[in-house]
Amino acid sequence: MSSLKIIVGPASTGLGEKVCSLAGLEKIRFSFKQFPDGELYVRLLDDVTGVDALIIQSLSPPQERNLMLLLQLISAFKTNGGREASIVIPYMAYARQDKRFLPGEPVSTHLVAKLIEAAGADRVALVEVHSDAAAKGFRNSVQIEVTRSFAEYYSRSGFEKAYVVAPDRNATPRASRLAEAIGGEVGWIEKTRNKETGFVSSIEGELNPAGRKTILIDDIISTGGTIIEAIRLLRSKNASEISVACVHGIFVGNAYERIMEAGASSILSSDTVETRYSNISVAGDIVRTLREKGWL
Ligand code: R5P
């Protein structure tokens, strides 16, 4: 009988509970607190001797706190008799710093990966990580795609055969997967971002949205700048209705409201980053993929 159990990290309580019940795993209990000076404390409350664990914890904001909690959970597990630690990271922080864009920069995502491995992670599953370069920071990782759950949502929401647009050429593979799953076509926008100021500008790429229901899909929405620029371009080309989708919805400040004001008809945002805007769960994608990979 498998001794696999699950630790549901504080940043992924909703998603973790769903994974736990879909996979039928017993939870390892723990307590955590913050000392008055800000340091974090974690303690496992169950004996983990000889146990294998799935540890699920998003590195959503506040990233440093959630990373430190993950590191402590892994270390507590491995140094108290736990066996194999399989980590599920719904949102991988720092994944956009996946190379040295300017001289003098670190490759921050590889540093985060090294810390997680140093804590004792044996293997890592990343949900729609920003790039393959980011995933390569880990020695042993698998990637989880969420195309199926997003396609099911759009197929039952009147967007079957919709036109699917990537707001950036690099985001085209994700848009293509969704387009294929709902029987639609794909387009993409050419985006440029000033590396010093972060200012985004979008110019036409391969785009033909006139009169069509359009899904604009990206991996991350942070400030909303990318998506708002893309909506402006799509509207200038007479897209009939624009639904925005993202896997990781961070929505800094009033980004959500600004995207709606820019002309989105709806925003789909998953529970890899748990916010009040999360309206679709990727638990099914996680459990299915981990079964396929033999983790469950
Ligand atoms: C960048 O390469 C990512 O894929 C997203 O497009 C980006 O992080 C979105 O950021 P923001 O919402 O601040 O434009």
Side-chain angles (χ1 to χ4, degrees):
M1 196 180 86
S2 163
S3 63
L4 185 68
K5 295 185 180 176
I6 187 168
I7 296 177
V8 175
S12 291
T13 50
L15 176 59
E17 287 294 339
K18 290 191 180 85
V19 168
C20 180
S21 76
L22 279 177
L25 297 173
E26 187 186 328
K27 268 193 280 184
I28 297 168
R29 296 169 308 140
F30 64 93
S31 65
F32 73 102
K33 66 181 177 186
Q34 188 156 16
F35 289 108
D37 60 7
E39 290 184 1
L40 293 160
Y41 169 93
V42 162
R43 180 178 170 224
L44 299 184
L45 301 175
D46 293 318
D47 181 12
V48 293
T49 310
V51 168
D52 295 330
L54 203 63
I55 302 177
I56 179 165
Q57 163 82 340
S58 182
L59 302 184
S60 50
Q63 294 88 339
E64 285 71 28
R65 174 187 164 90
N66 287 329
L67 173 62
M68 191 59 192
L69 286 167
L70 174 60
L71 297 175
Q72 286 186 307
L73 285 169
I74 298 170
S75 182
F77 175 73
K78 291 298 287 249
T79 58
N80 282 279
R83 247 172 16 177
E84 186 168 61
S86 303
I87 317 302
V88 179
I89 303 179
Y91 172 66
M92 178 65 185
Y94 291 95
R96 287 166 288 179
Q97 188 67 27
D98 57 1
K99 66 177 183 187
R100 205 165 281 112
F101 296 93
L102 295 171
E105 293 177 349
V107 182
S108 307
T109 194
H110 291 177
L111 169 63
V112 173
K114 281 196 181 80
L115 291 170
I116 291 168
E117 287 181 341
D122 293 296
R123 53 186 180 175
V124 175
L126 302 160
V127 180
E128 296 276 355
V129 66
H130 178 66
S131 65
D132 290 342
K136 285 197 176 105
F138 294 99
R139 277 172 307 187
N140 188 4
S141 69
V142 300
Q143 296 194 38
I144 298 173
E145 292 174 359
V146 304
T147 307
R148 192 181 297 188
S149 57
F150 276 42
E152 281 168 6
Y153 170 86
Y154 277 116
S155 295
R156 61 173 188 268
S157 308
F159 276 80
E160 63 283 344
K161 301 197 186 333
Y163 188 54
V164 184
V165 173
D168 180 356
R169 193 199 287 249
N170 294 336
T172 310
R174 181 174 302 99
S176 296
R177 291 197 298 270
L178 181 60
E180 191 182 342
I182 62 172
E185 281 179 45
V186 69
W188 53 270
I189 292 170
E190 191 72 76
K191 162 178 137 179
T192 56
R193 188 190 285 274
N194 183 304
K195 290 188 175 57
E196 305 277 358
T197 63
F199 184 76
V200 169
S201 55
S202 298
I203 49 172
E204 187 171 341
E206 178 70 43
L207 212 53
N208 182 21
R212 302 164 93 175
K213 278 192 168 186
T214 301
I215 301 168
L216 181 58
I217 183 166
D218 206 353
D219 58 340
I220 302 166
I221 294 180
S222 178
T223 64
T226 301
I227 288 294
I228 289 169
E229 275 296 303
I231 290 173
R232 287 201 186 113
L233 188 56
L234 289 170
R235 290 187 70 186
S236 75
K237 298 196 148 297
N238 301 318
S240 76
E241 186 181 345
I242 305 166
S243 177
V244 167
C246 65
V247 184
H248 314 295
I250 296 171
F251 302 114
V252 173
N254 60 352
Y256 188 96
E257 291 72 19
R258 288 175 39 246
I259 292 168
M260 292 303 288
E261 278 161 21
S265 62
S266 60
I267 303 176
L268 187 66
S269 172
S270 92
D271 52 0
T272 59
V273 178
E274 298 190 4
T275 71
R276 64 196 154 118
Y277 305 117
S278 305
N279 51 8
I280 186 168
S281 181
V282 298
D285 301 294
I286 292 174
V287 171
R288 188 181 59 253
T289 307
L290 295 186
R291 282 202 176 117
E292 285 165 6
K293 303 283 179 192
W295 287 31
L296 294 175

